[in-house]
């Protein structure tokens, strides 16, 4: 004959069957259900996360690349200068004074005076016909002031105005500058950003559709639970919260996968990019994505997950609520 | 406790699930809702649970007039009722404990309260030692008892049962019936839908009898509201 378990013992046994405390709050329940769902359908969840990660990886890489190009553009701008060639009559003393005066004027970051002797030495050093100049008997090169404009002036395209202002000085014979390279680079950066932005938009929409579709399947899987919850007095928010959390989890984890893929890809292209930069005698080096950039990626992908979930669960939950109220 | 005033439920033009149904049930009563399959028993219970809206007429449960009820108030109303279904409606992805705890999570109860109430409810239906089990491994009778524990765990004042013994053999049905009688004895109003004649013959409680959506008979209740065995030829309460 089976021994009868004392009532207090059985009640204690039942109480011991309770899971962790946090899973019995409304939010905790929703989170636990979402995590359980991901765990229960491991393979399907993994595939979805990979699809999301790969889809989001390209916009993420474009974000990183765009930031690096912006950096390159800024550095190129900072290196750009105008050269004001002075009249032969201007002495080294006056030339240096003029350079100092311009350095403190608006729109100019820095100046450097190059005396006639210094110009000759540079010419001899850098030119193949450096020795030919000795045949002239005298130094034909004028003194010059190298002017480095503010980056604001360069970006705003007001270099021409600055050059015109410099020309008004009687000591200046002519002003020479060439910003074609900077303008070309800026145009390329703008184009890459535009194309990248469009691609990012399309791929983000794709990620939204993937999340939306996954959530729809999830809604079908959870239909019986939602119906029971509705019969037991759950409001639509209680029923929808686990779905919302699943969307957020998919978004966040998809963002993590995308960031990992993007960082790996970035590391793969860093060395060739740095080598290319060296070939152009540039000090520019591709820097790693920052924690802020990765944080932005994770935040955006989390929002994407929530929006994807919201968009797909609006109608089904509404139908369920109506069914709960009106009967099916 | 429950009052229906000329309630009709028309599901298609000219096709009524219920037609001009009027009755009053006192608090603490035990009432059978009888009738053949398709007579309108489930529709009536769904109206009480506000899972359906009547096409016409007025329903009052406790102090709540359903015509004044806003849709967002309906979940809170349902939380005050216990509902038991013929097919249990258990969630098979979680333990017996978690099935019974579900209404309490929905109601926002505290953890310790949940543990105490679920343990007590499971003890009351004799399943305290099955709390960790998955409902799938339990018998039909045990599953139905889980459904009952879930319905009473929040200590509702009204218990609605829709053919809860429909799939059970007579011995288990009697066991389940005794559970409902125990809850009724503790003051819970029970409206128990069944077409099981042997159950109706064995347990002689007041009845509401439906025929093709129309109330054809109802037994009287005592003035105190406690249910008494019904007469053989019940007449309408109103």
């Amino acid at each position: 004959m089976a021994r009868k378990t004392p009532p207090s013992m059985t009640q204690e046994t039942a109480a011991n069957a309770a899971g962790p405390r946090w899973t019995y709050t409304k939010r905790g329940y929703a989170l636990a259900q979402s995590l359980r769902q991901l765990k229960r359908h491991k393979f399907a969840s993994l595939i979805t996360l990979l699809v999301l990660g790969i889809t989001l990886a390209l916009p993420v890489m474009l974000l990183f690349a765009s930031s690096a190009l912006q950096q390159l553009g800024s550095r190129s701008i900072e290196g750009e200068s105008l050269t004001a060639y002075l009249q032969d009559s201007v002495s080294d003393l006056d030339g240096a004074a003029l350079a100092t005066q311009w350095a403190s004027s608006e729109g100019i970051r820095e100046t450097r005076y190059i005396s006639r002797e210094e110009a000759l030495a540079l010419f001899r050093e850098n030119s193949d016909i450096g020795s030919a100049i000795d045949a002239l008997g005298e130094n034909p090169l004028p003194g010059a002031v190298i002017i480095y404009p503010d980056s604001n002036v360069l970006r705003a395209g007001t270099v021409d105005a600055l050059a015109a202002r410099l020309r008004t000085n009687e000591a200046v014979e002519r002003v020479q500058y060439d910003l074609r390279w900077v303008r070309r680079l800026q145009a390329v950066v703008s184009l890459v950003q535009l194309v990248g932005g469009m691609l990012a938009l399309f791929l983000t929409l794709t990620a939204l559709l993937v999340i939306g579709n996954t959530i729809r399947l999830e809604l079908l899987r959870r239909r019986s639970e939602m119906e029971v919850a509705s019969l037991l007095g759950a409001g639509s928010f209680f029923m929808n919260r686990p779905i919302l959390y699943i969307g957020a989890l998919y978004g966040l984890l998809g963002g993590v996968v995308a960031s990992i893929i993007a960082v790996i890809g970035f590391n793969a292209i860093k060395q060739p990019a740095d080598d290319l930069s060296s070939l152009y005698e540039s000090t520019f080096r591709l820097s790693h994505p920052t924690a802020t950039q990765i944080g932005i990626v994770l935040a955006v992908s989390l929002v994407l997950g929530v929006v994807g979930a919201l968009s797909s669960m609006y109608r089904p939950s509404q139908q369920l609520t109506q069914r709960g109220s009106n009967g099916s | 406790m429950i009052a229906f005033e000329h309630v009709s439920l028309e599901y298609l033009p000219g096709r009524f699930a219920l037609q001009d149904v009027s009755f009053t049930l006192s608090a603490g009563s035990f009432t059978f809702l009888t009738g053949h399959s398709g007579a309108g028993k489930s529709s009536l219970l769904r109206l009480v649970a506000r899972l359906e809206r009547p096409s016409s007429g007025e329903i009052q449960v406790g102090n709540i007039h359903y015509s004044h009820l806003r849709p967002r108030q309906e979940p809170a109303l349902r939380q005050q009722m216990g509902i038991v279904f013929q097919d249990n409606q258990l969630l098979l992805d979680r333990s017996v404990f978690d099935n019974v705890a579900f209404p309490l999570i929905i109601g926002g109860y505290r953890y310790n309260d949940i543990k105490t109430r679920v343990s007590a409810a499971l003890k009351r239906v004799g399943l305290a030692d099955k709390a960790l089990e998955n409902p799938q491994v339990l018998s039909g009778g045990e599953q139905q008892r889980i459904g009952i524990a879930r319905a009473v765990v929040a200590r509702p004042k009204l218990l609605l049962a829709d053919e809860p013994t429909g799939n059970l053999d007579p011995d288990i049905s009697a066991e389940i019936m005794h559970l409902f009688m125990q809850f009724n004895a503790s003051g819970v109003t029970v409206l128990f839908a069944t077409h099981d004649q042997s159950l109706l013959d064995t347990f002689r409680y007041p009845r509401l009898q439906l025929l093709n959506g129309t109330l054809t008979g109802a037994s009287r209740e005592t003035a105190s509201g406690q249910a008494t065995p019904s007469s053989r030829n019940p007449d309408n309460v109103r």
Side-chain angles (χ1 to χ4, degrees), chain A residues 5 7-8 10-26 29 33 36-37 40 222 224-236 238 322-328, chain B residues 46 50-53 71 74-76 78-79 83 85 89-91 93-95 97-99 101-109 111-112 114-116 118-120 122-123 127-129 131-132 150:
Chain A
T5 316
S8 58
T10 52
Q11 198 158 331
E12 199 179 310
T13 312
N16 289 340
R21 178 185 287 267
W22 67 272
T23 59
Y24 290 91
T25 61
K26 288 183 183 179
Y29 170 80
Q33 286 301 310
R36 195 179 294 171
Q37 208 61 37
R40 193 174 298 149
R222 296 176 66 90
S224 60
E225 183 190 337
M226 289 173 80
E227 279 174 353
V228 171
S230 173
L231 292 171
L232 295 176
S236 59
F238 180 90
Q322 281 169 355
R323 204 192 322 280
S325 302
N326 303 326
S328 54
Chain B
R46 289 178 70 83
R50 194 61 170 173
L51 295 166
E52 306 265 6
R53 289 191 174 86
E74 289 169 7
R78 241 169 267 146
Q79 284 176 28
I83 309 174
F85 309 93
Q89 300 259 26
L90 297 178
L91 300 169
D93 63 344
R94 62 198 70 182
S95 68
F97 185 97
D98 285 350
N99 264 283
F102 198 31
L104 301 179
I105 297 171
I106 292 170
Y109 285 74
Y111 182 63
N112 288 334
I114 291 175
K115 285 213 296 190
T116 310
V118 173
S119 304
L122 285 174
K123 187 186 160 201
L127 289 175
D129 54 344
L132 270 171
R150 186 180 65 186

Side-chain angles (χ1 to χ4, degrees), chain A residues 252-276:
Chain A
L252 186 64
L253 295 176
V256 170
V257 174
S259 298
I260 291 170
I261 293 173
V263 168
I264 291 171
F266 216 71
N267 280 338
I269 62 166
K270 180 173 166 42
Q271 195 53 49
D274 288 351
D275 290 346
L276 183 69

Side-chain angles (χ1 to χ4, degrees), chain A residues 142-190:
Chain A
V145 180
I146 312 291
I147 297 123
Y148 299 94
D150 276 346
S151 49
N152 293 340
V153 170
L154 288 161
R155 284 204 186 89
T158 52
V159 181
D160 292 338
L162 176 65
R165 200 176 83 207
L166 296 174
R167 276 192 204 103
T168 58
N169 193 304
E170 286 177 357
V172 175
E173 189 182 326
R174 69 192 164 93
V175 177
Q176 191 176 314
Y177 59 95
D178 184 2
L179 296 177
R180 276 178 302 177
W181 161 242
V182 173
R183 284 176 181 150
R184 280 175 195 157
L185 182 66
Q186 282 183 326
V188 169
V189 170
S190 298

